[in-house]
Each structure stands twice: as structure tokens, then as C-alpha cells.
Amino acid sequence: MNDTGKGFINLSALVAIFFSGLSFGMGHLYIGFGFVFWFALSTVVLVGIRKDEEELK
């Protein structure tokens, strides 16, 4: 995957962290947990991409 894709996933993870904190702070737990799941999913995808790139080298 190119650097733009990895940058988008990193940005997505940061946005998820921000909105989960904001949602938990405002008392919207169900929305906060949704963003925590979003962060976890984007982290798993990013780790998978890095493993694939290491295998190709």
C-alpha cells in the first residue's frame, strides 16, 4: 500500500481517539465504544499492512 493509504489509516486512528474521548466525556457511551472499535480496527489494518510489506522485502 502506498504512503497515502497508510497516512489515511493513521489519521483515521487519531480521529477515532479524539471522538471516543469526546463521546465518553459527554456521556455518550455507545458512541464512544463505537469509536474505540473504529480505532482498534484501523490499528489491526495498519499492523497487517506493515507485516505484508515486511514479507515482500
Side-chain angles (χ1 to χ4, degrees), residues 3-40:
D3 290 334
T4 304
K6 288 187 282 188
F8 178 75
I9 294 170
N10 282 330
L11 179 64
S12 175
L14 292 174
V15 168
I17 291 170
F18 172 76
F19 279 116
S20 66
L22 182 66
S23 298
F24 283 130
M26 293 175 63
H28 301 290
L29 297 181
Y30 58 98
I31 297 172
F33 282 117
F35 282 114
V36 168
F37 177 74
W38 177 11
F39 170 71

Side-chain angles (χ1 to χ4, degrees), residues 41-55:
L41 185 63
S42 64
T43 303
V44 167
V45 169
L46 192 61
V47 168
I49 291 170
R50 288 184 179 162
K51 284 184 181 178
D52 288 343
E53 285 181 348
E54 287 177 3
E55 290 176 0

